Amino acid sequence: MIQDLPPNTVERLSLYRRRLLNFPYEDEPYIHSHKLAHLIKINPAHVRRDLMLIGFTGDVHRGYDIKRLITKIGESIDCEHVQKVAFIGIGDLGRTVADYFNLKTKLKIVAIFRTSEPPKEQFKDVNCYHISEMKKVLIEEGIELVVLAVPKLYAKEVSETIMETNVKGILNFTSVHLDVPDTIYVEDYDIIAKLEKLSFFTNSL
Amino acid sequence: MIQDLPPNTVERLSLYRRRLLNFPYEDEPYIHSHKLAHLIKINPAHVRRDLMLIGFTGDVHRGYDIKRLITKIGESIDCEHVQKVAFIGIGDLGRTVADYFNLKTKLKIVAIFRTSEPPKEQFKDVNCYHISEMKKVLIEEGIELVVLAVPKLYAKEVSETIMETNVKGILNFTSVHLDVPDTIYVEDYDIIAKLEKLSFFTNSL
DNA sequence: TAGATTGTTAATCGATTAACAATC
DNA sequence: TAGATTGTTAATCGATTAACAATC
């Protein structure tokens, strides 16, 4: 991993890699900055600058070697060991991303927790538990990252339980402010704020 | 609505309002910039600047009148009519935000679509449909905003169907790039990119 | 009054884009 | 070669934070 990458660059590197993994690079092994830029709708200069930051160089004529770039991005942003991930009460959203996980990434979904209904298998290799088993499973599996999207009512209690485990990062979809120590990295996503923003901009065109 | 508000300011205004609606303003009708800033973890100067942009003034001694501020934020970022919202295949995440909707906002959840399982009632006043009925319902209900979180497999087809309706804004949780015309406002959220970012920063502390 | 807060401008910070010499 | 692309610096743009006069 490279220290001191700007947060947005890390996000984009993740995007570059996912796009490239879906790219027919067996047939077309090189890609130019403007084409890669187009795939994620940014400026070509941006691509070149990001790749410069991870010290990846291309060929003036052919562009960037896709296979090598995929590897390089891995070396730049993946951590050394496999990190386990749990989805907590996120339902369909889990299924949305499941096809990518457990395949080409250092992240691995190992558990899904539900607040309602008797748990049932959703995808192969991923166990589904009732939320009451969360603490035990988080600890036993050594889960480090969680996606948290439980109803507001549960948020505080669940986040306090999370603090008693080895979880180091929370992607927080609840609109509740999580009062966790500095050692846990929280990335908030406020869906309502985004919807109201969406509402604003769809009405000002 | 006010034109030319920076996107981030719009998001923050939405956050201010939600925090204030949960604030005991019957007992404590005024709030200072530093307290409001603390509630959403930003700088007090930021609050004052945002409120300046919507032309809201406070009292040097007492701070900001909460009730008036809630109203003013509504005038600044809400559109004139009620906009309907559908959740498409988002499962629990819908329930997460449902308690706020249909209450204090100009946004109203009116439909939930599922790609799997026979539809069943999830919350009162919100109908749940199978995805095959989506187009019909979107049109009949005049739905303008959707939250899209279907499995990758469905994403292209569903987004093409959406284009045949009156939908003006899409909050896109699929990692698929939606090829929609300029008249539709798309806000992408890439959960995998966020997780990989989370992974990066939890490992570089 | 003294002290604290607002409103607003200026400074800082970070992220994006432009520009262009170097390269093949 | 001529033309196109890379790597990199500088310029621009936007968002955040600092600073402080005005106010009560």
Side-chain angles (χ1 to χ4, degrees):
Chain A
M1 295 203 332
I2 298 176
Q3 302 302 315
D4 296 327
L5 288 178
N8 291 7
T9 294
V10 174
E11 263 183 69
R12 279 192 302 270
L13 288 169
S14 165
L15 289 171
Y16 298 147
R17 177 168 58 181
R18 289 232 311 299
R19 292 292 180 277
L20 292 174
L21 284 169
N22 286 323
F23 194 84
Y25 56 84
E26 302 292 353
D27 304 327
E28 229 179 299
Y30 288 83
I31 192 167
H32 289 298
S33 62
H34 64 261
K35 185 152 186 187
L36 184 48
H38 184 78
L39 288 177
I40 69 166
K41 308 223 285 183
I42 57 168
N43 192 293
H46 224 151
V47 172
R48 297 200 297 275
R49 205 174 191 294
D50 285 337
L51 301 191
M52 186 196 81
L53 291 175
I54 61 169
F56 188 79
T57 60
D59 181 286
V60 171
H61 285 116
R62 294 177 296 180
Y64 301 98
D65 179 327
I66 296 176
K67 248 182 177 155
R68 276 187 50 239
L69 177 51
I70 290 171
T71 304
K72 185 69 174 182
I73 290 174
E75 291 165 8
S76 305
I77 68 169
D78 288 338
C79 63
E80 300 72 21
H81 62 293
V82 172
Q83 286 189 297
K84 297 180 176 183
V85 179
F87 277 68
I88 303 177
I90 205 164
D92 266 330
L93 198 51
R95 224 173 292 138
T96 303
V97 292
D99 43 12
Y100 177 70
F101 278 99
N102 303 335
L103 260 167
K104 302 276 192 180
T105 172
K106 281 297 187 72
L107 300 177
K108 192 171 165 63
I109 303 183
V110 295
I112 290 169
F113 300 98
R114 296 176 145 262
T115 55
S116 62
E117 300 162 35
K120 52 179 168 276
E121 283 286 54
Q122 287 209 333
F123 0 93
K124 52 180 169 357
D125 303 334
V126 183
N127 290 319
C128 194
Y129 307 92
H130 187 262
I131 193 101
S132 58
E133 297 185 81
M134 186 182 79
K135 183 175 174 182
K136 178 171 153 286
V137 176
L138 288 181
I139 292 173
E140 284 180 358
E141 293 278 356
I143 290 167
E144 288 177 63
L145 302 176
V146 300
V147 179
L148 181 61
V150 294
K152 206 170 176 175
L153 191 65
Y154 296 83
K156 197 173 154 51
E157 194 194 334
V158 169
S159 71
E160 281 166 2
T161 306
I162 289 171
M163 278 188 270
E164 297 161 16
T165 69
N166 306 106
V167 169
K168 288 157 65 181
I170 302 174
L171 198 47
N172 176 32
F173 283 87
T174 74
S175 58
V176 175
H177 168 241
L178 304 180
D179 205 3
V180 298
D182 279 356
T183 50
I184 299 182
Y185 188 102
V186 178
E187 168 106 10
D188 293 307
Y189 184 81
D190 194 298
I191 194 170
I192 295 168
K194 294 290 183 189
L195 274 171
E196 294 195 322
K197 180 184 179 190
L198 204 60
S199 167
F200 182 81
F201 286 104
T202 57
N203 279 282
S204 59
L205 296 175
Chain B
M1 292 201 336
I2 298 176
Q3 303 300 316
D4 296 327
L5 287 177
N8 291 7
T9 295
V10 174
E11 263 183 68
R12 279 192 301 271
L13 288 169
S14 165
L15 288 172
Y16 297 148
R17 177 168 56 181
R18 289 234 309 303
R19 293 292 180 277
L20 292 174
L21 284 169
N22 286 322
F23 194 85
Y25 56 84
E26 302 292 353
D27 303 327
E28 230 180 297
Y30 288 84
I31 192 169
H32 289 298
S33 62
H34 63 261
K35 184 152 187 188
L36 183 48
H38 184 77
L39 288 177
I40 70 166
K41 307 225 285 183
I42 58 169
N43 192 295
H46 224 150
V47 171
R48 297 199 298 274
R49 206 174 190 294
D50 286 336
L51 301 192
M52 186 195 79
L53 291 175
I54 62 169
F56 188 80
T57 59
D59 181 287
V60 171
H61 285 115
R62 292 177 297 180
Y64 300 97
D65 178 327
I66 295 176
K67 249 182 175 154
R68 278 186 51 238
L69 178 51
I70 290 171
T71 304
K72 184 69 173 183
I73 291 174
E75 290 164 9
S76 305
I77 69 169
D78 289 338
C79 63
E80 301 72 19
H81 63 293
V82 172
Q83 286 189 295
K84 296 181 174 182
V85 179
F87 277 69
I88 303 176
I90 205 164
D92 266 330
L93 198 50
R95 223 173 295 137
T96 304
V97 291
D99 42 11
Y100 177 70
F101 279 99
N102 302 337
L103 260 167
K104 303 275 193 181
T105 173
K106 280 295 187 73
L107 301 174
K108 193 172 162 64
I109 303 182
V110 296
I112 289 168
F113 300 99
R114 295 176 146 263
T115 56
S116 62
E117 302 163 33
K120 51 180 169 277
E121 284 286 55
Q122 287 210 333
F123 1 93
K124 53 179 165 2
D125 303 333
V126 184
N127 291 317
C128 194
Y129 307 92
H130 187 261
I131 192 103
S132 58
E133 295 185 81
M134 186 184 75
K135 184 175 173 182
K136 177 170 155 286
V137 176
L138 288 180
I139 293 172
E140 284 181 359
E141 293 277 358
I143 289 167
E144 287 176 65
L145 302 176
V146 301
V147 179
L148 180 63
V150 295
K152 205 169 177 176
L153 192 64
Y154 295 84
K156 197 173 153 50
E157 193 194 335
V158 168
S159 72
E160 280 165 3
T161 305
I162 289 171
M163 278 188 271
E164 297 162 15
T165 68
N166 306 106
V167 168
K168 289 156 65 182
I170 301 174
L171 198 47
N172 176 33
F173 283 88
T174 75
S175 58
V176 175
H177 168 240
L178 303 181
D179 206 3
V180 298
D182 280 356
T183 49
I184 298 180
Y185 188 103
V186 179
E187 167 106 10
D188 293 308
Y189 183 81
D190 195 299
I191 193 169
I192 296 167
K194 294 291 182 187
L195 274 170
E196 294 195 322
K197 179 184 177 191
L198 203 61
S199 166
F200 183 81
F201 286 105
T202 56
N203 279 282
S204 59
L205 295 175

